[in-house]
Amino acid sequence: MNINDTASFLKQGIQEIVTEAELVKKLERRKKENKPLKVKLGIDVSGPYIHLGFAVVLRKLRQFQDLGHTAVLIVGDFTGKIGDPSGRSKTRPQLTDAEIKKDMEQYKAQIFKILLPEHTEFRFNSEWSDRLTSRDLIGLASKYTVARILEREDFAQRLQQGLPLYMHEILYPLFQGFDSVAVKADIELGGADQYWNLLVGRELQREFGQEPQVIITMPLLAGTDGKLKMSKSYNNYIGITEPPNEIYGKTMSIPDAMIVKYFQLATNYTDAEVKEVARRLKAGDNPKDMKSQLGKQIVKMYYSAEDAEAAAQEFERVFKHKATPTELEEFILKERKINIVELLVKTKLLPSKTEARRKIAEGAVYINDERPTDSNLEIIIDEPIILKVGKRKFLKIIPGY
RNA sequence: GGGCAGGUACCCAAGCGGCCAAAGGGGGCAGACUGUAAAUCUGCUGGCAUUUGCCUUCGGAGGUUCAAAUCCUUCCCUGCCCA
């Protein structure tokens, strides 16, 4: 592949690049010097949980690795502690080093489902940020204007709406940008919502006399609700290390209108293949089948084809034919006789007795396929019974007295 | 430092002495239906007890009152204007 082909390959599926010419230049130089490019990606310590949305960016990063470049993952342990500029300024709990270490282990287990360990470097930004003096900080702040900071949409909006905007939030992008200076990043990747932040890094590098990084943003994947971007805090995510049944099931729960987008962003389908999916949907193919194909495809990426098939079959069993799942969680009950409401709370299927009574009245509680209507029902557990709440919560109660 | 407007349940937001566990919307959960955990429609959405009941919750702490989210005092927090 020549340099231009490489560049256009790397450009596939991206949202935006600043600038392509610079990317080509960097690729050329790297080839001449035979040195890998440093591709920076910021990650957050607080939620060590990788979902399909973030995977969009990681998979792009992987392409760089496949070409021999180095992924530099910046763990935002410093910026994480000063609070996120995304609205309310609840002070984050200070993470201890031990906690961070533990989180990182979990994180690595997930991230190397996509990235290549031998081409991945981890850097903690506290390494350099903790050492900045007040003088350094003022110096850094003097390289960027308030007006430019306020270009950022959510800052501008909050000011306009009379909502609080704190000093530390304004500084946050500077620290994040300074990370690029500290590691001398050649390229920085991020989600489309990070575009502005990445530009700050570019500017600061220029100010510090470095060649500015190329920035590449990836499209945002909407969550399972089909509206907001996929995020752990919106609880609309599909985690790449979730069990196959969960990944498949959650995929089935996306709105039909999202099917094509998901094929595009969450699978390795080529443009032609995605078009074919769109065509079939338009031609009146059952969206359910397309979603099933999508779910299987995603499970296959992070597990195997067999797991994908099994997940699909299990889904049909449980939700279409309303059978009980093949594998059930078990709960050993000490009492032989117990009130239904107490049982539901004790097993944590429901959070409170009032809620349990409500759900019984709604007909959401099943005992071995029967729906009790009386909250005073006493159950005698002589043999295992299957307790079900709603469509998805199952529990096998085993006598243990 | 001064003036004004605000702080209500997971979120937004009404209420401004009793009829307030607190309207409405969002979100969440459930039921029906179905092509699925899609869509749509309907119900529920503080806890405990269960006939009326009790407890916790309207920024914090005190107070007035038979009775407070609602009135008073004070403190904390946010925004706007002035300095």
Side-chain angles (χ1 to χ4, degrees):
Chain A
M1 231 179 345
N2 69 34
I3 297 290
N4 281 322
D5 288 346
T6 306
S8 52
F9 165 70
L10 288 170
K11 247 179 70 186
Q12 274 172 25
I14 69 167
Q15 174 92 20
E16 204 135 12
I17 179 166
V18 180
T19 64
E20 193 179 351
E22 288 179 35
L23 176 65
V24 170
K25 219 170 80 193
K26 281 177 191 272
L27 286 169
E28 271 168 357
R29 184 150 34 84
R30 175 261 163 186
K31 204 170 181 184
K32 233 180 276 166
E33 297 170 354
N34 201 22
K35 260 171 55 188
L37 291 172
K38 288 186 191 170
V39 188
K40 176 194 168 197
L41 177 66
I43 60 179
D44 186 356
V45 263
S46 69
Y49 205 85
I50 296 173
H51 53 64
L52 294 182
F54 193 52
V56 174
V57 182
L58 287 175
R59 284 168 45 232
K60 176 55 69 180
L61 188 52
R62 167 64 187 264
Q63 292 181 348
F64 278 92
Q65 292 187 317
D66 286 337
L67 292 167
H69 301 293
T70 305
V72 182
L73 300 184
I74 308 288
V75 182
D77 65 331
F78 179 82
T79 35
K81 282 175 197 166
I82 64 177
D84 207 290
S86 58
R88 311 234 153 228
S89 75
K90 286 179 193 123
T91 329
R92 291 190 182 197
Q94 291 267 335
L95 296 170
T96 66
D97 287 349
E99 281 169 336
I100 289 179
K101 203 171 170 193
K102 197 177 136 226
D103 282 355
M104 283 312 297
E105 289 315 309
Q106 285 177 23
Y107 205 85
K108 282 178 182 168
Q110 297 176 59
I111 211 158
F112 291 140
K113 274 190 166 232
I114 298 176
L115 297 183
L116 300 169
E118 63 272 27
H119 290 298
T120 304
E121 263 175 39
F122 282 91
R123 300 291 293 277
F124 290 81
N125 68 354
S126 60
E127 185 192 319
W128 48 86
S129 295
D130 272 345
R131 286 207 299 261
L132 292 177
T133 63
S134 303
R135 191 174 297 187
D136 294 332
L137 176 56
I138 298 291
L140 189 58
S142 73
K143 299 199 186 301
Y144 220 79
T145 67
V146 171
R148 295 227 50 198
I149 288 279
L150 293 180
E151 277 170 16
R152 205 171 118 146
E153 204 190 330
D154 60 315
F155 284 169
Q157 243 172 37
R158 278 160 65 192
L159 272 187
Q160 208 186 345
Q161 291 170 1
L163 296 171
L165 178 60
Y166 293 87
M167 295 292 292
H168 75 284
E169 302 185 73
I170 282 186
L171 293 176
Y172 186 91
L174 289 182
F175 282 105
Q176 204 172 310
F178 186 70
D179 292 344
S180 292
V181 176
V183 302
K184 297 193 171 65
D186 293 301
I187 299 172
E188 177 159 14
L189 293 186
D193 56 339
Q194 293 298 309
Y195 182 70
W196 189 91
N197 283 331
L198 307 190
L199 279 175
V200 176
R202 219 175 121 81
E203 296 289 315
L204 287 181
Q205 283 178 309
R206 217 189 321 254
E207 288 288 338
F208 280 88
Q210 294 180 15
E211 181 180 294
Q213 62 186 6
V214 167
I215 71 176
I216 296 176
T217 59
M218 300 301 292
L220 292 181
L221 180 67
T224 51
D225 57 353
K227 291 177 209 139
L228 302 166
K229 76 160 182 166
M230 187 176 285
S231 152
K232 202 178 177 199
S233 44
Y234 299 142
N235 196 24
N236 62 358
Y237 63 93
I238 302 176
I240 66 167
T241 51
E242 292 193 75
N245 285 350
E246 281 298 304
I247 294 182
Y248 183 87
K250 284 186 176 185
T251 304
M252 292 302 277
S253 81
I254 66 170
D256 292 352
M258 297 303 298
I259 296 174
V260 173
K261 263 271 172 272
Y262 266 64
F263 270 109
Q264 219 167 48
L265 297 177
T267 71
N268 290 319
Y269 272 36
T270 61
D271 286 355
E273 287 169 320
V274 173
K275 274 206 184 98
E276 171 63 11
V277 168
R279 191 196 60 74
R280 283 180 57 189
L281 278 172
K282 213 169 179 184
D285 273 22
N286 192 335
K288 188 200 167 203
D289 296 333
M290 301 314 291
K291 260 198 265 188
S292 175
Q293 184 182 331
L294 173 66
K296 282 193 268 188
Q297 195 60 34
I298 295 171
V299 173
K300 195 174 135 195
M301 286 170 71
Y302 300 105
Y303 290 90
S304 68
E306 293 78 64
D307 290 320
E309 206 45 57
Q313 277 173 22
E314 184 73 357
F315 189 88
E316 290 287 302
R317 258 179 66 78
V318 176
F319 298 110
K320 186 162 188 188
H321 306 297
K322 304 210 190 302
T324 43
T326 43
E327 279 179 40
L328 285 176
E329 231 183 286
E330 298 183 346
F331 183 91
I332 296 168
L333 187 73
K334 298 242 181 359
E335 295 88 338
R336 178 161 181 273
K337 185 174 164 212
I338 189 166
N339 171 270
I340 177 66
V341 170
E342 273 170 48
L343 180 63
L344 287 165
V345 175
K346 191 165 198 144
T347 54
K348 298 211 168 65
L349 282 170
L350 290 169
S352 71
K353 292 186 179 178
T354 305
E355 175 77 1
R357 289 199 185 90
R358 241 184 254 131
K359 286 291 168 255
I360 290 169
E362 285 173 0
V365 175
Y366 301 74
I367 303 170
N368 289 336
D369 290 328
E370 304 231 339
R371 292 204 243 190
T373 48
D374 179 9
S375 303
N376 294 317
L377 181 70
E378 298 287 329
I379 317 174
I380 293 170
I381 318 273
D382 277 333
E383 52 188 342
I385 60 163
I386 290 166
L387 197 57
K388 180 187 178 195
V389 178
K391 288 174 189 147
R392 300 177 50 204
K393 286 199 262 185
F394 292 87
L395 196 62
K396 190 172 187 177
I397 310 293
I398 313 273
Y401 47 86

